[in-house]
Amino acid sequence: MLLKTRKIVNIYLLVLITIVAAGCKADNKSKEILVTANDISMSYYDVKSDIQQEYIVSVNNEPLKKILNDWLNTLLDLGVNYGENSEGINIIENLEIKDVYIKGETLIIEFNKEFIDYNNNMTHPIYLINALTEILTQINVSDVYSIKIDGYDLNVIHPDGIDIKDIKLGEVEK
Amino acid sequence: MKRLVAVLLIFNLIISVSISDVLAKETYNSKGLAYCDVVTGEEVIFDDDSATFDSSLNKWLQHAHDTFGYCSNELTIISIKIKGKKIILDFNNEFNQLKDNSIIANYFVNSLSRTISINSKYEKLFIQVDGEYVKDFGELEFSNGIDLTISESEENDVEIKAYPDVPNPVIVIDPGHGGIYNNAVAADGTKEKAVVLSVANYLKSDLENKGATVIMTRTTDTQLSSTLSADLSMRADIANNNNADMFISIHANGYSNTSTKGVETFYPRYHDSTTSKSLANHISQSISTRQSMTLRTTKIGDYAVLNETEMIAVLTEIGFMTNAYDYSKMDSASDRDAMAYSIYLGIRKFWWGY
């Protein structure tokens, strides 16, 4: 039931959300992707309880980069922890999205180097990536996105091998 | 006048009794009594024609000692109390005898809570003995009550998808990691790659006995490639090149918070999602029920091995090696054999329909 409700909400949000992608052209890093929208549904799993929480963020002509960094800050404020760095610090604490842009047909989400800490054993970036995918699915600027980290060339993160390149957005195959 | 009042009272009583009977029959329709067979570990559902929920619980208890031998026939339910979404069952002190055998106690509590969850909308079960709340019971934790809500994954489970026309499927089993790769590590230093290889070997035997053709992505402690991306692609290629019907990747979890526990299975986003989700649910539920482990929600996962395979595929995390209770379900050869058999039963129910 919950899932059905969420699907309806997501369809509703897709209708509501419009994108002003100022110049969504190939390799255009210089121009911001602006989101003019009403509400974006954001959800996260708590690893310990396995409970999914959902909240709605209202945006109005805001850069996607800011929306996503605000999302990371909110996760941190909520105490969400998907793993620690080698010093035992929650990776989200120093995680930042450096840039958001379109390259070809692909939406690029460029994280800072702290994202690589999700290669550490016993971290859980799958939850972070699933939540990010859900947000980007609502902001239909592209059908596919990739996570980029400066100096990191692998297609996967984490020892379990989670894809970070060419992640498809939109309808899940049935 | 007194005679008239008496007649009215009797009439009123007859009406109210018959109305309540009708309501009871209209509002309660038992969906059965659930048990976990102590020999096979499989869930058994008995038909139940009880007219009330209370009757169902008493009948459940009767079968629990007569048929399944969970407890002595002196164990009785003293009272059933309802507080909002909570149900409190007060047993006589015979309940304490269950402490002697944690496996049977697990079967008892899981079967009881399963019976309540399929026949009611109560969300929490609390157990009392002679009016006192039971907070911990050996390995079982009762302090916050027992969760009765049917998980989202279970609620959304699709009908059992059986493939009777393919009685001998090709199944690729992928024991996660190996060689230079590993993820979770238990407190005693045991590595995930060793545990999952052992479970995978038992699973291979179970599936072959059922008639499946089983192909392993690895049979020893080795990586398939010194590059992680290539290693993962090669695992998917093995399944694709052999036209496998199913791909089962076996992993174990780990987390810095050592109280985190439970079985969790992922399915692919882009292909065979619905059928893979169904298989994922069957595997998770089978492990959870048989091994008495917490059932975590089945989720989409963009794992390379799931995205790159071209058939029904799941990646199951059989529990948290960093949690003492979960690890106790995989720390010996017999535990790994039992774990594999639980996975097998989930696959069997999905593929063969029983």
Side-chain angles (χ1 to χ4, degrees):
Chain A
M1 185 62 194
L2 265 178
L3 272 182
K4 285 175 188 166
T5 309
R6 286 186 54 206
K7 276 178 190 165
I8 293 167
V9 168
N10 285 343
I11 291 165
Y12 175 69
L13 289 169
L14 277 172
V15 172
L16 283 179
I17 295 170
T18 54
I19 299 296
V20 178
C24 289
K25 301 261 171 78
D27 302 288
N28 196 337
K29 287 185 74 172
S30 59
K31 295 185 179 177
E32 279 184 330
I33 295 175
L34 293 175
V35 180
T36 59
N38 288 314
D39 299 318
I40 300 174
S41 167
M42 298 188 174
S43 64
Y44 62 94
Y45 266 96
D46 175 72
V47 179
K48 183 173 182 296
S49 67
D50 193 47
I51 291 172
Q52 189 179 26
Q53 303 283 357
E54 191 169 353
Y55 63 96
I56 304 291
V57 169
S58 296
V59 297
N60 183 17
N61 212 34
E62 288 183 37
L64 180 54
K65 180 181 159 187
K66 179 181 182 303
I67 293 168
L68 294 178
N69 275 315
D70 288 349
W71 162 65
L72 290 174
N73 288 332
T74 304
L75 292 184
L76 188 63
D77 291 344
L78 290 167
V80 176
N81 184 344
Y82 297 140
E84 289 103 26
N85 64 16
S86 54
E87 293 167 356
I89 296 168
N90 182 353
I91 295 168
I92 296 175
E93 194 166 320
N94 295 312
L95 200 59
E96 185 188 349
I97 290 168
K98 306 288 285 181
D99 206 352
V100 175
Y101 57 94
I102 297 284
K103 183 175 181 182
E105 301 294 322
T106 306
L107 175 64
I108 306 292
I109 308 294
E110 189 174 330
F111 279 89
N112 61 351
K113 284 183 180 172
E114 273 67 16
F115 192 87
I116 300 172
D117 288 333
Y118 282 120
N119 271 331
N120 291 350
N121 287 357
M122 300 194 275
T123 58
H124 293 267
I126 189 73
Y127 292 102
L128 189 85
I129 292 169
N130 275 355
L132 177 61
T133 305
E134 209 168 300
I135 293 169
L136 297 178
T137 297
Q138 296 171 64
I139 301 166
N140 52 340
V141 66
S142 174
D143 293 332
V144 61
Y145 84 99
S146 290
I147 290 171
K148 182 178 186 299
I149 310 113
D150 197 26
Y152 185 79
D153 296 325
L154 288 181
N155 292 332
V156 292
I157 195 83
H158 192 265
D160 284 351
I162 302 161
D163 280 334
I164 56 170
K165 303 291 184 197
D166 301 326
I167 302 169
K168 292 178 194 165
L169 297 167
E171 276 295 299
V172 172
E173 194 277 339
K174 297 294 178 196
Chain B
M1 186 61 186
K2 282 181 181 173
R3 187 176 292 174
L4 178 63
V5 170
V7 168
L8 284 173
L9 278 173
I10 291 167
F11 179 73
N12 197 23
L13 186 64
I14 290 168
I15 292 292
S16 61
V17 166
S18 52
I19 286 173
S20 66
D21 275 349
V22 169
L23 283 176
K25 282 174 185 165
E26 280 183 353
T27 55
Y28 184 74
N29 184 17
S30 174
K31 292 176 181 166
L33 308 174
Y35 299 90
C36 191
D37 189 298
V38 294
V39 178
T40 65
E42 292 180 55
E43 185 177 74
V44 179
I45 303 283
F46 274 29
D47 288 338
D48 174 34
D49 58 0
S50 299
T52 66
F53 177 62
D54 292 8
S55 303
S56 284
L57 290 185
N58 281 305
K59 195 177 279 186
W60 179 89
L61 188 58
Q62 190 184 338
H63 277 303
H65 48 66
D66 289 355
T67 311
F68 291 91
Y70 291 162
C71 53
S72 83
N73 59 10
E74 290 172 17
L75 177 62
T76 56
I77 300 172
I78 300 170
S79 69
I80 301 170
K81 290 169 267 187
I82 308 299
K83 286 186 179 176
K85 296 282 187 185
K86 298 175 188 171
I87 179 169
I88 304 159
L89 295 189
D90 188 4
F91 289 93
N92 64 356
N93 61 16
E94 195 66 24
F95 186 87
N96 291 324
Q97 298 299 319
L98 286 168
K99 267 187 182 173
D100 295 341
N101 188 327
S102 63
I103 293 173
I104 296 297
N106 272 324
Y107 284 163
F108 181 96
V109 172
N110 283 337
S111 302
L112 174 60
S113 54
R114 175 81 174 144
T115 298
I116 296 171
S117 69
I118 62 177
N119 286 306
S120 73
K121 292 291 181 187
Y122 301 120
E123 294 178 357
K124 286 273 186 184
L125 165 65
F126 288 84
I127 290 176
Q128 292 182 332
V129 172
D130 288 337
E132 296 291 322
Y133 281 102
V134 177
K135 293 189 174 173
D136 55 73
F137 197 76
E139 289 180 348
L140 303 175
E141 300 169 357
F142 292 161
S143 50
N144 294 317
I146 299 159
D147 194 4
L148 295 172
T149 49
I150 295 174
S151 72
E152 205 170 80
S153 61
E154 194 173 353
E155 193 175 39
N156 287 286
D157 197 7
V158 294
E159 290 294 310
I160 294 170
K161 172 75 175 168
Y163 298 83
D165 51 330
V166 189
N168 307 107
V170 175
I171 301 175
V172 168
I173 301 175
D174 172 41
H177 313 290
I180 58 173
Y181 304 120
N182 189 56
N183 181 31
V185 181
D188 65 3
T190 303
K191 292 181 176 172
E192 176 188 351
K193 62 180 183 174
V195 172
V196 297
L197 178 59
S198 173
V199 171
N201 281 326
Y202 286 116
L203 177 60
K204 177 178 186 284
S205 173
D206 292 332
L207 287 167
E208 284 177 340
N209 288 339
K210 183 72 186 127
T213 299
V214 178
I215 299 164
M216 303 277 280
T217 58
R218 69 179 176 96
T219 53
T220 56
D221 181 19
T222 49
Q223 69 275 6
L224 276 64
S225 168
S226 57
T227 308
L228 181 59
S229 297
D231 179 274
L232 299 164
S233 294
M234 288 171 76
R235 291 165 197 258
D237 287 346
I238 289 170
N240 294 337
N241 295 339
N242 285 285
N243 293 316
D245 295 293
M246 278 177 277
F247 177 85
I248 315 286
S249 189
I250 301 173
H251 287 249
N253 243 326
Y255 191 45
S256 52
N257 182 322
T258 56
S259 61
T260 304
K261 60 185 177 178
V263 54
E264 180 174 44
T265 306
F266 294 87
Y267 60 95
R269 184 187 301 275
Y270 311 129
H271 67 91
D272 303 286
S273 297
T274 305
T275 43
S276 296
K277 182 180 180 184
S278 177
L279 173 59
N281 283 337
H282 284 305
I283 290 174
S284 274
Q285 284 166 26
S286 180
I287 294 174
S288 170
T289 304
R290 276 180 44 85
Q291 311 301 114
S292 300
M293 292 171 73
T294 300
L295 178 64
R296 297 171 71 88
T297 317
T298 298
K299 301 172 181 77
I300 280 177
D302 283 302
Y303 293 96
V305 291
L306 297 183
N307 283 344
E308 293 179 29
T309 43
E310 297 165 352
M311 69 295 299
I312 298 166
V314 296
L315 185 151
T316 188
E317 301 275 5
I318 59 174
F320 281 75
M321 292 181 68
T322 41
N323 175 265
Y325 179 76
D326 275 12
Y327 186 56
S328 74
K329 304 293 181 181
M330 56 181 102
D331 66 348
S332 70
S334 59
D335 289 321
R336 292 167 192 174
D337 190 6
M339 178 67 76
Y341 194 68
S342 297
I343 298 171
Y344 160 71
L345 289 178
I347 296 169
R348 193 183 78 181
K349 195 170 182 183
F350 169 78
W351 191 265
W352 286 274
Y354 71 99

